[in-house]
Amino acid sequence: KWLPQIQEISSALAQLDVLAGFAENARLHSHVCPDICDDGVLKIDDGRHPVLEQSMIGNPFVPNDTELEGKQQQIAVITGPNMAGKSTYLRQIGLSVILAQVGSYVPAKKATIGVVDKLFTRVGASDNLAGGESTFLVEMNETANILNNSTKNSLIILDEIGRGTSTFDGLSLAWSITEYLHNNKSCKARTLFATHYHELIKLGDELPQCFNMNIQVKEYKNEVIFLRKIQEGGASKSYGIHVAELAGIP
């Protein structure tokens, strides 16, 4: 007969345990209380990756700012070298949004996070051979799901689109998908799009609510130094040959 009471107490203790974990994590790692709003603003000052920064022993994590909203700065096209930190930047923003909406503090100096109804990601490469789906078809299936189900209150994180097919096919898809997200009034979702198609930089000039960002690097004595800092504007190179050399390709 005590089963309902035990279940109720267990549920309360579980909730208390989660909230205590949030509080301890915030205290130990200097997280801040985000301002939650409903006007679509996503502004993070000195944002960090909550997991990666704890594993970088001896190398301080480089924080970065983010500012998105649905009217002036809806779509950020992010270019820059391989290995520079584009994927880390995308993931830390997604994680901060999730943390804020589940009631946690976030790894940043200051944050204003507009409510997100759905968070979509298109990241990585994988296939479904058992289902007869190639890597590229899986990528297109995921992208189609995003385009057909996102709203103006959504957040979309795209880490490369169109790389599983020919260069011109992939570029055409990436270009038209960006235009669709910008022009389709039923969508208009806040979007972060990391790409190596540098031609997409032109969209920052052609689309009013699209803008360019890139990860800083410095070239010194035939070496590339990754500064991990994001800045306005587009990048002109991806340094793929340099990364191949780092990997040991003869």
Side-chain angles (χ1 to χ4, degrees):
K1 71 177 184 178
W2 299 106
L3 183 59
Q5 289 91 330
I6 293 173
Q7 290 175 329
E8 187 175 351
I9 293 170
S10 298
S11 177
L13 287 173
Q15 185 173 358
L16 180 63
D17 182 46
V18 169
L19 296 176
F22 286 162
E24 181 68 359
N25 196 52
R27 183 185 69 82
L28 290 174
H29 305 306
S30 301
H31 293 189
V32 300
C33 180
D35 294 325
I36 306 296
C37 62
D38 58 3
D39 58 4
V41 172
L42 175 55
K43 189 174 189 303
I44 301 173
D45 296 342
D46 285 349
R48 312 186 306 275
H49 193 294
V51 178
L52 190 57
E53 71 167 342
Q54 303 309 318
S55 63
M56 296 178 63
I57 300 173
N59 294 307
F61 188 90
V62 178
N64 275 300
D65 298 340
T66 305
E67 186 166 5
L68 284 178
E69 42 83 21
K71 297 178 181 177
Q72 303 279 328
Q73 294 179 297
Q74 178 208 343
I75 301 174
V77 175
I78 305 167
T79 49
N82 285 289
M83 305 280 293
K86 297 189 300 298
S87 296
T88 297
Y89 179 68
L90 296 181
R91 285 165 171 77
Q92 72 187 43
I93 295 168
L95 287 170
S96 288
V97 167
I98 292 172
L99 287 171
Q101 295 203 176
V102 299
S104 172
Y105 282 24
V106 298
K109 183 178 179 181
K110 185 179 180 181
T112 301
I113 297 178
V115 173
V116 171
D117 61 355
K118 304 168 189 173
L119 195 158
F120 294 98
T121 62
R122 159 85 279 281
V123 174
S126 62
D127 55 39
N128 178 21
L129 296 182
E133 297 180 343
S134 67
T135 301
F136 182 62
L137 182 57
V138 170
E139 179 184 334
M140 291 297 99
N141 282 338
E142 292 180 358
T143 305
N145 176 60
I146 292 171
L147 297 179
N148 290 319
N149 293 289
S150 57
T151 74
K152 63 184 179 68
N153 295 317
S154 300
L155 176 64
I156 300 174
I157 293 174
L158 303 175
D159 197 350
E160 302 290 349
I161 290 289
R163 61 183 172 184
T165 186
S166 70
T167 301
F168 290 120
D169 281 357
L171 174 58
S172 298
L173 283 163
W175 188 290
S176 58
I177 286 166
T178 306
E179 287 186 326
Y180 181 89
L181 290 168
H182 183 278
N183 298 331
N184 191 313
K185 293 182 179 179
S186 65
C187 176
K188 302 291 285 184
R190 291 157 290 178
T191 303
L192 295 153
F193 186 0
T195 182
H196 285 293
Y197 291 134
H198 297 117
E199 294 85 351
L200 296 183
I201 292 171
K202 295 179 182 178
L203 290 174
D205 299 323
E206 296 181 7
L207 303 178
Q209 295 158 31
C210 181
F211 64 102
N212 292 305
M213 302 174 76
N214 73 89
I215 307 286
Q216 293 182 38
V217 296
K218 181 179 263 187
E219 295 184 56
Y220 179 73
K221 293 184 178 179
N222 295 322
E223 290 190 9
V224 178
I225 302 170
F226 301 116
L227 302 179
R228 313 294 184 193
K229 200 70 179 174
I230 199 153
Q231 62 183 358
E232 292 184 4
S236 60
K237 293 192 285 186
S238 290
Y239 298 96
I241 304 300
H242 174 79
V243 175
E245 184 181 20
L246 287 176
I249 290 181

